[in-house]
Amino acid sequence: MVVSGKALVTKLRGAKPTMTARVLPLALSMLCAGAGSIWAQQKPLVVEHGIYSVHLLLHAIGTEEYAVTESGRGDLTMTAQVNTADRGTKRGSITTLQIDHTFTPIRLEQRSEPEAAGTSSSTVISGTKATMQEGALSRTIQRPGVAFAGFGTMPASLQMMMMRYWTRHGKPARLSILRASADALPLEIRMVGHDVFQSRHKMVRLTRYTVANLVFGREVLWMNDSGRLAAVMTFAGGLPQELVLDEYEPAMGELVHSGVRQEMLDLADLGRQVPAEAQGNYAIVGARLIDGTGSAAIENATVVIREGRIAAAGHVEVPAGMRVIHAEGKSLLPGLWEMHTHYSGVEFGPALLAAGVTTARDCGGEREFLTQVRQRIDTDHALGPKLLLAGLIDSGGPLAFGNVDVNTPAEGVAAVDAYADERFDQIKVYTQIKPQVLIAIDDEAHKRGMTVTGHVPAAIDTFAAIAEGMDQINHLQFVWRAMLAPGTTGPVDVQSARAKELVALLKKHEIVVDPTDSWSEMAGHPKNVDVASFEPGINAAPFTLASKYRALGVPAEDEAKFRERMATNASVIEALYEAGVPIVAGTDTGLIGYGLDRELELYVQAGMTPMAAIQTATLGAAKAMRMEKESGSVEVGKRADLVLVEGNPLTNISDLRRVVSVVKDGRLYDSKRLARTVGFSR
């Protein structure tokens, strides 16, 4: 049971020395500094302290350290400092929360370190009013009766206080979070189970919860019996993160197992909310058929589906007695392939399906989660696209990405074999891989029937990466950088001898390029440019996602550099397309579902025909993964993966955004129902 703030202070004051909170000098110095500080007149008493380890893709990247102090007046102040170093990029934040003895927030502030323009946020409650400011957004509202304060990125310790508040105020089914936008949905906190395991030679019991609407999807978190947050699995950083209180660090593996099991329960729950509207044997009649082969569209076509396969397509008769789905005036295409995602939660499944994505390649995620969700999709028809997995491998210790960190050829071979044994489709190499290790990885992957994709390692260039056996390249920058003469920074001239040599080499070896141009646009757009001006899908996204993407970008004064970079990307994409280099469409950590639409729009802007752009996400993608006999086009015998859209994408590529229905393995789903299940208002 969580006690009041006053009782917590009393309890900790009387605890044994080994249980008392440890003093956090940094937090104390910050709290006491300055004449304007609420603690300037008296020294605060530290009543609670803790340290969380922060993991990204199960790789430790930093810590969160917090302290709770009380002033003698009954109010408590919690200060949390987060410091991380992800692939060499250091980030930090300081969050300060003032609460009363019932854990009711009085003031919340958060700022990044070093502080940058537009990165501070605050919530101030005064009397009956609450004023919230997050970046450029602000509003003042009548304070709700029961509400907590929070932002898009909630430190573990702030979530702990949130859980204490929720418990203290009767565990409401919906808990409002004071945000700067009225679009923020209330949280749905559910107690879903208990976990018992051994940590540091003692038995531990934790209570498991899910929290919806704090970030995209449902977080999984654990509280111990004394009201401390033990761990949380979250998507808050755009990739999977785990935060674990130091005393539970030895049990992290068991916590991850429990979290994955919970996600599978959540996946089953999503499936119950959106049953298939048609399956088995039926026909889709009257649509414009764009079969993905490059052939001309067939007007008023019929596609017959039998037990998950395409039985007939074109101007064919509907078998007597077969159910008919009318699609007059619409366009029917092969299901789309998202060739670069980081599938970080079960909510990705409905979101991608709603956008017409029926196959997705994960380019570096958490192995246990990915293999479990793949199995549920393949065997139980759980909601989600067919998953293809690229196993992430890096070298470099602290600079590494992910938790498979190899430094010798033998370790590289062992890592490839481990992924192959778990039926991964590819290997994804990352930036710190050493040249001799890359050669060993490429050789072993090819022996095991796998291809190699990924970043071009920093120690070599793209010419060498091709020579050493890479089959595919993620991200366009690894192409245009290699077009520049060594030691130069630009501009890129696609007509230069070196650029032409590289393009010819890519074509000769049929190296597949995954540009992720839409992610370059999203992450690098100037802050004075509204995201909706180039990605209208942001308006349909749940607030938790929309706020994350709206916060991205570079200062307005960098707009010229941004425009130049996007123009360079377009010229390189056009050069690759004209030369016949295989291109596949992927979005990295862009806006889920809609990001693929934007990727194809950018390809058309770069000079591709709409048909060619569509093929980068259908038959071309299937060929890149050696699955063209199974999928990628609407042909007899292939898997019945289809997308039905309003309009005609051959004349307006953006009509791909207007999805009506999606067919996955012969099961037809309503796009709007899928989207709404995970918070999209499509």
Side-chain angles (χ1 to χ4, degrees):
M1 178 180 294
V2 176
V3 295
S4 71
K6 289 181 178 178
L8 176 66
V9 171
T10 302
K11 181 177 180 180
L12 289 171
R13 280 175 172 165
K16 295 180 180 180
T18 56
M19 297 176 61
T20 55
R22 292 160 285 175
V23 175
L24 180 58
L26 176 60
L28 284 175
S29 65
M30 290 186 295
L31 289 169
C32 298
S37 168
I38 61 173
W39 304 114
Q41 303 304 314
Q42 56 182 314
K43 186 176 181 179
L45 173 69
V46 176
V47 297
E48 184 178 352
H49 166 244
I51 300 175
Y52 291 90
S53 58
V54 181
H55 303 260
L56 181 75
L57 292 175
L58 303 176
H59 174 71
I61 62 168
T63 60
E64 173 190 329
E65 190 164 9
Y66 79 93
V68 180
T69 63
E70 65 99 15
S71 65
R73 301 191 302 272
D75 292 348
L76 299 173
T77 297
M78 184 200 77
T79 299
Q81 180 156 9
V82 178
N83 289 300
T84 61
D86 175 20
R87 290 163 280 178
T89 300
K90 293 183 178 180
R91 296 182 177 89
S93 67
I94 296 177
T95 302
T96 305
L97 171 71
Q98 184 185 356
I99 56 177
D100 69 15
H101 67 280
T102 68
F103 301 104
T104 299
I106 300 169
R107 185 179 186 89
L108 174 64
E109 295 181 345
Q110 187 178 80
R111 70 178 189 272
S112 64
E113 286 194 319
E115 191 166 0
T119 60
S120 63
S121 301
S122 66
T123 299
V124 179
I125 298 173
S126 179
T128 62
K129 300 292 186 181
T131 299
M132 291 75 66
Q133 176 267 321
E134 300 179 58
L137 292 178
S138 64
R139 67 172 181 146
T140 298
I141 62 170
Q142 194 75 17
R143 174 183 175 178
V146 177
F148 198 71
F151 306 121
T153 302
M154 293 263 282
S157 51
L158 184 57
Q159 293 196 48
M160 176 175 68
M161 292 301 183
M162 174 190 77
M163 293 298 293
R164 291 175 179 176
Y165 176 87
W166 176 72
T167 301
R168 180 70 171 76
H169 290 80
K171 301 181 179 180
R174 290 176 168 245
L175 174 63
S176 294
I177 293 289
L178 300 172
R179 300 293 301 269
S181 170
D183 294 332
L185 295 174
L187 305 187
E188 297 177 5
I189 303 173
R190 298 178 184 174
M191 194 280 283
V192 291
H194 298 279
D195 293 299
V196 179
F197 51 84
Q198 192 172 54
S199 180
R200 301 190 191 278
H201 308 293
K202 64 179 181 180
M203 295 304 296
V204 175
R205 187 188 90 136
L206 300 177
T207 303
R208 187 172 68 256
Y209 297 85
T210 60
V211 181
N213 300 327
L214 182 58
V215 297
F216 179 65
R218 286 180 259 197
E219 289 190 338
V220 183
L221 60 80
W222 292 262
M223 300 291 290
N224 68 14
D225 290 341
S226 61
R228 295 190 84 187
L229 189 146
V232 59
M233 293 175 64
T234 176
F235 177 58
L239 288 167
Q241 287 189 358
E242 298 80 26
L243 294 91
V244 183
L245 193 63
D246 56 358
E247 65 184 274
Y248 300 109
E249 185 74 19
M252 181 172 167
E254 293 178 79
L255 289 167
V256 170
H257 295 328
S258 171
V260 171
R261 288 194 298 269
Q262 181 60 50
E263 290 235 56
M264 296 308 104
L265 294 173
D266 295 341
L267 178 59
D269 182 52
L270 289 170
R272 286 187 288 270
Q273 296 177 49
V274 191
E277 298 192 343
Q279 57 184 302
N281 303 328
Y282 61 96
I284 300 174
V285 174
R288 174 184 303 103
L289 177 60
I290 304 169
D291 66 15
T293 65
S295 300
I298 302 173
E299 300 292 336
N300 194 29
T302 294
V303 173
V304 177
I305 296 168
R306 289 188 182 274
E307 302 303 330
R309 294 279 167 174
I310 297 169
H315 291 139
V316 297
E317 295 293 326
V318 177
M322 179 171 278
R323 180 182 177 182
V324 171
I325 306 292
H326 287 280
E328 287 79 7
K330 301 176 178 64
S331 295
L332 186 65
L333 300 90
L336 302 177
W337 288 51
E338 162 61 91
M339 284 293 283
H340 193 136
T341 188
H342 292 273
Y343 205 94
S344 303
V346 294
E347 290 80 8
F348 275 52
L352 288 168
L353 286 176
V357 174
T358 57
T359 303
R361 177 178 68 171
D362 180 88
C363 284
E366 296 188 355
R367 184 182 311 194
E368 183 177 357
F369 167 75
L370 290 171
T371 54
Q372 287 288 315
V373 74
R374 178 184 62 183
Q375 179 183 3
R376 299 301 174 94
I377 291 170
D378 287 348
T379 62
D380 301 336
H381 299 289
L383 288 182
K386 182 174 182 60
L387 274 180
L388 308 177
L389 307 181
L392 179 61
I393 302 177
D394 201 2
S395 301
L399 295 177
F401 185 44
N403 70 332
V404 180
D405 188 6
V406 306
N407 291 288
T408 68
E411 290 175 349
V413 169
V416 171
D417 288 341
Y419 280 124
D421 290 345
E422 292 193 80
R423 297 189 302 106
F424 276 65
D425 302 275
Q426 292 184 300
I427 295 298
K428 177 179 178 176
V429 295
Y430 212 71
T431 311
Q432 301 301 318
I433 293 285
K434 301 176 182 67
Q436 65 272 25
V437 177
L438 176 62
I439 293 172
I441 288 172
D442 290 341
D443 288 346
E444 186 65 13
H446 295 155
K447 289 177 184 176
R448 297 298 301 265
M450 306 167 79
T451 51
V452 178
T453 190
H455 290 207
V456 173
I460 59 176
D461 63 12
T462 303
F463 289 93
I466 296 170
E468 292 176 7
M470 285 189 69
D471 305 289
Q472 302 182 11
I473 294 172
N474 300 144
H475 309 301
L476 197 64
Q477 65 262 33
F478 295 111
V479 175
W480 63 253
R481 286 176 187 171
M483 291 179 169
L484 298 171
T488 64
T489 58
V492 175
D493 178 8
V494 296
Q495 297 301 320
S496 70
R498 184 178 175 87
K500 290 182 177 180
E501 179 186 2
L502 178 61
V503 171
L505 189 66
L506 292 167
K507 171 58 179 174
K508 176 182 177 182
H509 292 274
E510 291 295 299
I511 303 299
V512 178
V513 178
D514 159 26
T516 63
D517 198 23
S518 57
W519 175 239
S520 296
E521 182 181 48
M522 178 66 79
H525 76 276
K527 288 185 178 294
N528 63 324
V529 175
D530 183 11
V531 172
S533 68
F534 59 86
E535 179 46 272
I538 197 79
N539 293 326
F543 173 75
T544 51
L545 271 185
S547 60
K548 168 181 176 288
Y549 291 113
R550 290 188 188 279
L552 295 175
V554 299
E557 55 266 29
D558 292 335
E559 181 170 358
K561 293 180 181 178
F562 166 74
R563 301 294 180 193
E564 180 183 349
R565 184 169 63 254
M566 292 303 295
T568 294
N569 288 356
S571 66
V572 174
I573 289 170
E574 182 179 28
L576 297 176
Y577 165 59
E578 293 292 342
V581 175
I583 296 173
V584 295
T587 65
D588 201 359
T589 53
L591 183 58
I592 303 166
Y594 287 107
L596 186 64
D597 298 323
R598 182 57 184 163
E599 188 78 12
L600 301 187
E601 289 168 351
L602 288 169
Y603 293 172
V604 172
Q605 291 177 20
M608 283 192 194
T609 66
M611 177 64 82
I614 289 167
Q615 287 184 305
T616 67
T618 54
L619 188 57
K623 288 179 178 178
M625 299 304 292
R626 303 171 179 172
M627 297 178 65
E628 68 271 21
K629 294 182 179 180
E630 176 72 10
S631 182
S633 59
V634 184
E635 297 181 86
V636 173
K638 289 192 175 184
R639 194 168 59 240
D641 290 349
L642 307 162
V643 57
L644 185 67
V645 303
E646 297 280 4
N648 183 358
L650 293 181
T651 57
N652 179 14
I653 192 67
S654 295
D655 282 346
L656 287 175
R657 294 178 177 273
R658 303 169 64 193
V659 179
V660 176
S661 303
V662 63
V663 180
K664 166 66 170 57
D665 282 333
R667 285 170 161 76
L668 183 145
Y669 299 94
D670 178 80
S671 174
K672 289 183 179 179
R673 289 192 64 183
L674 287 165
R676 289 169 181 165
T677 302
V678 289
F680 283 81
S681 60
R682 178 188 291 273

